[in-house]
């Protein structure tokens, strides 16, 4: 593979301390990356957490006196989307860390079965919810931790909060707000289901070749990417080429895909009472803005921010706007949202042009 394409956010990323860690959850290893000020991670299942500092960040993870910095006032636990890994949320994490005066601590695990984390015995939604609860417990996180999910991650975190995971703020970035097996997406979803089934049933080499086919991965990347900036486009395509096929085995990816298309955030809306920030996109081909508004209206306490000119890759194309929305809510005192009618906000920035409800 060719050398990696440099990120448009490279200078920001280089200034953010990052440490690679791992911890046992239910006897299986979950790898995660800690951005910003670090803190001690408790062990779980009798095994100590393993610190694996990245080459560039080991020195940056300690303060000028050589001491580990004190725990950040805000911790964000971020869950990535289907077939990706922690790399997809690195840019958002960097903007969150850099945008807070005291530094936000952002924890991004590789979902089980993706990246370098061990797969679950069965990759259904109940198993992901159980894993997320166990991961949070293993790290000693409490309700002050902001929980964030992107795309498929939005389903996982929403289901977990509906099942009782307590958090001060739930953030859904490009949330899957409506069923994929209904409406205009049903045909495309059916084709995708057939693709993953075929990849699982073919002989191993042929099946993996199909599931990891670079042409199919690139077609997906082109379809979702809305930016016309050539530098950004090259980088996003390179990210997908490198990390979109890092799954443990064919069974895990097939089961995870089935989970992603048979559930959506709306089925948990009536059981989520915690404040919710939804960061949606004007041109999201997976969940359209009207469906996002409908979900926001069903949630007990929700704010909807629509980022204009972008699609399902907010975390790649407009991480600054997403981070700004999160940091604004983190800084605000806890208040109960009203059922006010969504209103358009004017302003020069992409964030200020969003809808809020």
């Amino acid at each position: 593979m060719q050398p990696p394409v440099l990120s448009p956010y490279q200078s920001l990323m280089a200034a953010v301390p990052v440490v690679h860690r791992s911890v046992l959850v239910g006897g299986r290893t979950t790898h995660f990356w800690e951005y910003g000020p670090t803190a001690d991670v408790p062990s779980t299942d009798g095994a100590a957490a393993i610190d694996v500092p990245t080459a560039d960040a080991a020195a940056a993870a300690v303060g000028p006196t050589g001491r580990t910095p004190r725990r950040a006032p805000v911790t964000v636990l971020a869950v990535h989307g289907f077939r990706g890994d922690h790399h997809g949320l690195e840019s958002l994490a960097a903007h969150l860390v850099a945008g807070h005066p005291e530094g936000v601590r952002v924890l991004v695990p590789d979902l089980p079965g993706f990246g370098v984390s061990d797969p679950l015995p069965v990759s259904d939604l109940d198993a992901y919810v159980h894993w997320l609860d166990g991961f949070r417990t293993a790290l000693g996180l409490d309700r002050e931790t902001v929980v964030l999910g992107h795309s498929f991650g939005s389903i996982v975190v929403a289901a977990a909060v509906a099942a009782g995971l307590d958090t001060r703020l739930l953030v859904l970035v490009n949330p899957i707000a409506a069923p994929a097996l209904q409406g205009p997406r049903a045909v495309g979803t059916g084709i995708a289901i057939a693709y993953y089934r075929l990849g699982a049933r073919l002989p191993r080499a042929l099946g993996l070749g199909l599931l990891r086919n670079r042409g199919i991965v690139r077609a997906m990347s082109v379809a979702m990417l809305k930016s016309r900036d050539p530098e950004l486009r090259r980088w996003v395509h390179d990210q997908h080429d490198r990390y979109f096929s890092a799954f443990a085995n064919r069974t895990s990816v097939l089961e995870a895909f089935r989970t992603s298309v048979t559930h959506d955030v709306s089925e948990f809306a009536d059981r989520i009472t915690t404040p919710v920030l939804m960061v949606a996109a004007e041109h999201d081909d997976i969940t359209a803005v009207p469906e996002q508004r409908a979900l926001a209206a069903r949630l007990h306490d929700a704010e909807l921010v629509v980022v204009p000119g972008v699609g399902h890759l907010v975390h790649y194309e407009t991480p600054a706007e997403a981070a700004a929305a999160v940091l604004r809510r983190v800084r605000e005192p806890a208040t109960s949202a009203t059922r006010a009618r969504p209103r358009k906000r004017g302003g020069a920035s992409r964030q200020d042009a969003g809808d809020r409800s």
Side-chain angles (χ1 to χ4, degrees):
M1 185 175 284
Q2 297 296 318
V5 175
L6 288 180
S7 166
Y9 318 109
Q10 183 65 30
S11 60
L12 183 67
M13 284 295 307
V16 173
V18 54
V19 179
H20 172 194
R21 302 181 186 269
S22 67
V23 68
L24 286 180
V25 181
R28 295 168 185 267
T29 301
T30 293
H31 290 260
F32 65 100
W33 282 255
E34 184 173 10
Y35 302 85
T38 60
D40 291 336
V41 180
S43 63
T44 184
D45 293 340
I50 305 169
D51 287 357
V52 188
T54 62
D56 296 334
V62 296
T65 63
R67 298 176 183 174
T68 301
R70 62 186 176 83
R71 190 183 186 114
V74 177
T75 297
V76 177
L77 170 57
V79 180
H80 65 77
F82 174 67
R83 278 192 66 157
D85 64 12
H86 73 280
H87 289 95
L89 295 180
E90 278 192 328
S91 299
L92 178 57
H95 282 86
L96 287 169
V97 173
H100 195 283
E102 297 175 318
V104 174
R105 175 188 178 216
V106 184
L107 307 173
V108 188
D110 280 351
L111 275 171
F114 296 92
V116 290
S117 289
D118 290 344
L120 298 169
V122 178
S123 298
D124 61 16
L125 189 56
D126 286 343
Y128 281 118
V129 167
H130 183 71
W131 162 80
L132 183 61
D133 185 63
F135 178 76
R136 198 178 78 143
T137 299
L139 270 61
L141 304 176
D142 58 22
R143 76 172 309 275
E144 291 305 308
T145 298
V146 174
V147 177
L148 179 152
H150 172 260
S151 190
F152 174 54
S154 73
I155 300 175
V156 174
V157 298
V161 170
L165 188 147
D166 195 15
T167 175
R168 60 177 288 199
L169 176 67
L170 175 63
V171 180
L172 308 176
V173 180
N174 289 120
I176 308 301
L181 294 171
Q182 300 175 16
R185 291 175 298 278
V187 173
T189 301
I191 293 172
I193 291 172
Y195 163 72
Y196 281 101
R197 283 177 175 168
L198 182 60
R201 291 174 179 173
L202 285 172
R204 185 176 185 276
L206 290 176
L208 286 174
L210 176 65
L211 293 172
R212 291 173 171 156
N213 182 275
R214 290 175 63 88
I216 294 174
V217 170
R218 178 55 59 89
M220 173 280 306
S221 188
V222 169
M224 291 196 292
L225 186 57
K226 305 303 179 184
S227 173
R228 307 316 304 172
D229 183 304
E231 178 187 5
L232 180 63
R233 292 182 68 85
R234 282 195 299 271
W235 174 67
V236 173
H237 293 329
D238 185 67
Q239 289 283 294
H240 284 140
D241 288 346
R242 290 178 183 279
Y243 306 120
F244 206 65
S245 296
F247 48 84
N249 53 58
R250 294 183 293 167
T251 300
S252 293
V253 75
L254 173 62
E255 291 177 347
F257 177 74
R258 285 174 175 163
T259 300
S260 74
V261 298
T262 55
H263 298 279
D264 65 274
V265 177
S266 68
E267 69 182 271
F268 310 108
D270 296 337
R271 288 183 280 152
I272 296 175
T273 58
T274 193
V276 179
L277 170 64
M278 298 171 57
V279 182
E282 181 183 14
H283 302 304
D284 194 333
D285 297 319
I286 295 180
T287 305
V289 172
E291 294 167 319
Q292 303 286 6
R293 291 195 181 110
L295 173 60
R298 287 187 56 194
L299 290 165
H300 173 74
D301 182 350
E303 176 190 0
L304 172 63
V305 174
V306 178
V307 183
V310 68
H312 199 67
L313 303 181
V314 162
H315 59 312
Y316 281 133
E317 296 188 68
T318 54
E321 286 83 345
V326 176
L327 292 171
R328 173 178 51 78
R329 287 298 302 268
V330 165
R331 293 187 186 108
E332 288 177 354
T335 57
S336 180
T338 64
R339 285 285 181 173
R341 186 174 52 182
R343 60 188 183 276
K344 195 78 172 178
R345 299 181 68 209
S349 74
R350 301 170 80 90
Q351 178 66 46
D352 286 341
D355 287 337
R356 300 173 65 192
S357 64

